Amino acid sequence: MVDPARSVQPPPPPPLTDEEYAKFCEFFYRKTGIQFQDNKKYYVERRLVERMTKTGSSCFRDYFTMVRFQVSGEELQSLVNTMTVNETYFFREDYQFVALVEGMLPELVRGRSPRQPLRLWSVPCSSGEEPYSIALSILERWDQADHWDIEIHASDIDSRILAEAQAGVFGARSLSRVPRQYLEKYFVSLGDGSYRICDDLRQSIDFSLVNIVDPVQAKRFRDVDVIFCRNLLIYFDDVGRRETVETLYEILVPGGYVCLGHSESMSRMTSLFVPRKFGDTIVYQKPQEKAP
Amino acid sequence: MALVKANPPGIPAVGDGKPTPDGPASGLPPLIETGPSVEDLLAALDAEESTTRRSAARALATHPEAAMALCDRVEIERSPSVRVVLFTTLIRLQSPEIAARLAGLLRSEDVALRNGAIEALQEMPAAVAPSLRALLADPDSDVRLFAVNILGALCHESAPEWLVEVIASEPHVNVCAAAVDALAEVGRPEAVPALQALRARFPDEPFMTFAIDTAVRRIEGR
Amino acid sequence: MTEAPPREASAARPARRVLVIDDGITMRLFYRSVLEAAGFHVEEATNGVEGYEKALADPFDLLIVDINMPKMDGFTMLRAIRRDRAVLGVPAVTISTEADPADARRALEAGANYYLVKPVAPDLLTEVARLMTGGPA
């Protein structure tokens, strides 16, 4: 750490060469599954220099060696935190909701008894934009919605954010991608630019406080058809990620799907799932295991 | 309305206070709920159902005394998903004894099993270190290659030094190539003379020349 | 990171697309430099799962597949691809470190169309890639 009492600040670390940038990107991708394009160099570099300054590293080489060999993985975690923007709004990464109603759900109901409900789980659900987007997508964009009982479960580890999700009040920024006709049909204007989602919709979603890392808590979910688990696994270390992915696998029905964030990929985590392409997005399917 | 609110068995709604006990198991075996003994879990490792075996393998992650039984099981387990969970548990329980057992799997003809072992060993730097010397000196060049693959991803500060030792003495071109590949990420400037010397040992191998150039560029950062 | 690959091998025909799947960074860059010099468009994947994902996401004319890779090995990936209607027809060459005839048989059984042994000579790689893709001329 830089000592604030020192009168002379050390010089800022020199900028990264292309080779250093490439080396960092490959390592970061291998560890986290997060991929940066070449045009992100400025963005990545600024944040790297910030971390280098904070840790008192004089050059990229020293800093990289520290991150690469740190057993606790603490600095890698700090990097993930600075490199990722954790924002949520309605219909974020909408192509995945399109893939849900056009690809995954039609496939899941093929040959299914109408008495068997479809079970969807949003985890972490944060302030609720994701589970409500799932609900709106199903009601407005899936022509078979009325033929099925559909359960939407939404969980988060943070009780305050979960209370916000249940309250269902959203500001203009969060609602910017919600079509006007949805706003009129499913929301109540509160007058100050914010809207509250209608009671019917709020009450149709089952919110619960769950720490997905705790297998006993997670195990209460079972036979789930689709899990939305976006931008969560990047925050775990290697073993924690393995275990959490295995938990998701256990919770899904055979043939069920996991949807990850757009910069994430299962390919850095596990071979348990089969990638499937629906429209423009790749999702991950639990195979029907043949051998017992 | 198409959306129905339903709590699946055992899921308490928010604000319920205490969790409700699980109802009759509809898929998962009752193993964990009742706090089974290690003996029960070990027996369940050989169960018919892969779900039961996975569940037992996961639950054994808090039982170091089960380590050797888990190693026995991973050697014969056929289901890829159960294997994955067994390896995760062995990573959790990591010890030099487990590492030594997993090192034995580097000789397996089953590529998926072998790679599972390599990945698990990469996650246990302190435990695998004592086995690595012997693996790097193994008469079988494939085993040496896999040892270099482990070393290359290992979070161990001696790794760069050991990789330099490999390229200084290793006779097999593919093992050297794997070490050069690893040095492109973890190598320090001290590795450059050894890389240059290696170039002279394989002058007719275009790939080796290319790989060494790449590694040196990466190490020097230009 | 790397130069933009030539999009067009000739005015008449777009460059053949090759997906290189190998966990070694120097290996991927080597295949890339050799194949781009011969007019191919090259993309990379670092293990079998990622290779499968990329093969699904975009069409390729050829897969070059390493055998020993983390998460999913080359054999397992090929078997999965050969079962998947979306990608089952794409030609694949495996590249192994083992010059073992049993390994060659396993590669072909898993669904490879051709089998090479490391280290691969640049000319041989180019020739095989041309043979398998019917181009570039």
Side-chain angles (χ1 to χ4, degrees):
Chain A
M1 280 300 238
V2 180
D3 179 2
R6 274 165 65 172
S7 52
V8 183
Q9 290 287 314
L16 266 64
T17 65
D18 287 350
E19 285 292 337
E20 287 171 337
Y21 178 68
K23 179 157 136 178
F24 173 76
C25 288
E26 277 148 21
F27 166 74
F28 195 66
Y29 175 60
R30 181 158 60 76
K31 295 304 277 186
T32 66
I34 301 173
Q35 195 151 26
F36 297 115
Q37 304 304 324
D38 284 4
N39 62 12
K40 283 276 191 170
K41 186 176 176 199
Y42 175 72
Y43 172 92
V44 172
E45 186 169 53
R46 245 186 32 202
R47 278 150 187 83
L48 268 174
V49 168
E50 190 184 300
R51 288 308 309 166
M52 283 156 72
T53 311
K54 280 234 172 79
T55 53
S57 313
S58 58
C59 62
F60 172 78
R61 184 183 292 155
D62 287 0
Y63 179 73
F64 184 78
T65 304
M66 190 258 281
V67 178
R68 175 62 178 71
F69 291 105
Q70 189 180 51
V71 178
S72 72
E74 218 172 301
E75 184 53 29
L76 183 68
Q77 211 38 255
S78 302
L79 265 174
V80 171
N81 293 341
T82 101
M83 296 286 180
T84 51
V85 191
N86 212 349
E87 57 168 355
T88 174
Y89 46 85
F90 275 82
F91 297 111
R92 184 184 182 193
E93 291 162 33
D94 189 36
Y95 51 82
Q96 222 165 46
F97 303 121
V98 174
L100 175 73
V101 295
E102 290 181 2
M104 290 177 257
L105 291 178
E107 198 175 286
L108 284 163
V109 298
R110 206 169 294 150
R112 174 187 288 238
S113 145
R115 276 175 317 184
Q116 196 191 343
L118 279 162
R119 193 170 288 169
L120 283 62
W121 190 27
S122 161
V123 60
C125 67
S126 187
S127 40
E129 284 87 341
E130 184 176 278
Y132 291 126
S133 298
I134 293 170
L136 291 173
S137 299
I138 288 174
L139 293 174
E140 288 292 318
R141 299 164 167 178
W142 192 34
D143 53 8
Q144 295 188 60
D146 287 338
H147 304 160
W148 302 94
D149 283 345
I150 303 157
E151 298 174 10
I152 300 176
H153 302 273
S155 304
D156 206 284
I157 190 176
D158 180 343
S159 59
R160 278 170 317 162
I161 203 119
L162 202 59
E164 277 181 40
Q166 280 181 295
V169 176
F170 301 97
R173 213 196 53 76
S174 177
L175 295 166
S176 62
R177 301 203 181 184
V178 180
R180 176 130 298 273
Q181 69 268 29
Y182 293 9
L183 273 182
E184 285 163 5
K185 194 166 167 188
Y186 297 102
F187 292 80
V188 181
S189 170
L190 299 181
D192 56 352
S194 62
Y195 286 78
R196 193 179 60 232
I197 204 145
C198 70
D199 287 349
D200 267 1
L201 207 52
R202 266 187 327 129
Q203 284 156 10
S204 68
I205 293 173
D206 165 56
F207 288 98
S208 56
L209 189 65
V210 169
N211 178 4
I212 195 174
V213 175
D214 179 347
V216 179
Q217 291 186 37
K219 225 165 54 63
R220 296 200 226 106
F221 288 84
R222 64 189 64 169
D223 300 332
V224 174
D225 294 287
V226 184
I227 300 175
F228 283 81
C229 183
R230 308 205 289 195
N231 306 311
L232 174 73
L233 298 169
I234 47 174
Y235 296 106
F236 296 157
D237 66 11
D238 289 345
V239 192
R241 193 174 309 154
R242 277 182 81 118
E243 287 173 340
T244 308
V245 165
E246 288 159 19
T247 300
L248 298 181
Y249 182 90
E250 234 37 88
I251 288 170
L252 283 171
V253 295
Y257 294 97
V258 182
C259 303
L260 299 177
H262 78 284
S263 61
E264 295 180 286
S265 160
M266 275 294 182
S267 66
R268 307 312 306 167
M269 307 177 198
T270 186
S271 56
L272 280 172
F273 296 89
V274 178
R276 292 286 310 274
K277 189 186 185 195
F278 289 110
D280 291 331
T281 188
I282 298 271
V283 298
Y284 300 90
Q285 185 171 34
K286 173 176 173 173
Q288 317 265 0
E289 198 163 349
K290 283 151 285 158
Chain B
M1 197 138 103
L3 303 182
V4 295
K5 184 166 182 175
N7 297 344
I11 302 178
V14 179
D16 261 12
K18 58 179 194 304
T20 49
D22 266 2
S26 77
L28 283 177
L31 282 176
I32 298 164
E33 275 83 351
T34 52
S37 65
V38 183
E39 289 70 31
D40 291 343
L41 290 171
L42 288 175
L45 281 183
D46 298 321
E48 187 96 357
E49 280 287 310
S50 57
T51 315
T52 311
R53 300 205 298 282
R54 283 197 302 272
S55 175
R58 176 82 181 251
L60 283 166
T62 52
H63 295 284
E65 67 273 30
M68 291 305 115
L70 287 158
C71 290
D72 293 340
R73 181 68 215 178
V74 82
E75 286 174 11
I76 53 166
E77 178 59 57
R78 306 284 300 165
S79 157
S81 70
V82 182
R83 263 187 196 174
V84 166
V85 179
L86 284 165
F87 278 126
T88 305
T89 291
L90 288 169
I91 295 170
R92 271 284 174 225
L93 295 174
Q94 57 185 277
S95 68
E97 294 72 34
I98 290 174
R101 285 291 302 273
L102 294 184
L105 296 181
L106 301 190
R107 290 175 213 288
S108 169
E109 287 291 301
D110 180 336
V111 187
L113 179 63
R114 202 166 67 202
N115 284 333
I118 291 172
E119 274 184 76
L121 289 167
Q122 287 169 339
E123 295 289 337
M124 42 180 99
V128 74
S131 301
L132 268 178
R133 287 258 168 223
L135 291 173
L136 288 169
D138 198 275
D140 182 342
S141 66
D142 281 333
V143 171
R144 299 201 301 279
L145 179 84
F146 303 141
V148 168
N149 289 153
I150 293 166
L151 196 50
L154 210 59
C155 197
H156 193 288
E157 55 187 17
S158 300
E161 200 182 308
W162 292 355
L163 288 165
V164 169
E165 286 174 30
V166 169
I167 59 169
S169 58
E170 169 62 46
H172 197 291
V173 60
N174 285 332
V175 183
C176 286
V180 172
D181 198 274
L183 282 167
E185 181 176 293
V186 302
R188 302 185 189 124
E190 302 88 271
V192 173
L195 284 164
Q196 302 295 12
L198 181 64
R199 192 196 302 274
R201 281 174 53 207
F202 297 101
D204 303 323
E205 208 55 80
F207 167 69
M208 193 57 99
T209 308
F210 180 94
I212 291 169
D213 287 344
T214 305
V216 170
R217 245 188 359 257
R218 286 286 164 95
I219 291 169
E220 294 180 341
R222 52 178 179 78
Chain C
M1 220 178 292
T2 37
E3 281 173 43
R7 276 267 157 210
E8 305 267 322
S10 71
R13 203 158 54 172
R16 295 289 194 259
R17 296 168 50 82
V18 182
L19 178 61
V20 169
I21 308 159
D22 195 307
D23 57 328
I25 175 64
T26 54
M27 201 59 86
R28 292 196 305 275
L29 292 177
F30 178 66
Y31 297 152
R32 177 185 277 279
S33 84
V34 169
L35 292 170
E36 282 183 356
F40 291 92
H41 173 88
V42 179
E43 305 248 346
E44 302 171 23
T46 62
N47 67 39
V49 184
E50 196 186 326
Y52 190 174
E53 266 178 50
K54 291 203 168 166
L56 272 181
D58 288 304
F60 284 93
D61 300 298
L62 177 64
L63 309 179
I64 292 188
V65 187
D66 183 26
I67 299 305
N68 292 299
M69 292 185 288
K71 302 301 171 207
M72 187 187 275
D73 63 272
F75 294 150
T76 307
M77 189 202 84
L78 279 174
R79 280 193 289 266
I81 279 185
R82 295 297 180 231
R83 280 196 305 264
D84 188 330
R85 265 178 304 163
V87 280
L88 57 80
V90 55
V93 177
T94 59
I95 304 190
S96 166
T97 51
E98 293 149 275
D100 176 355
D103 223 44
R105 204 194 60 238
R106 277 200 290 268
L108 300 178
E109 279 168 2
N113 305 84
Y114 208 88
Y115 175 88
L116 292 171
V117 177
K118 286 184 186 182
V120 180
D123 292 351
L124 180 61
L125 180 66
T126 311
E127 200 182 307
V128 170
R130 284 199 176 119
L131 188 77
M132 306 291 294
T133 61

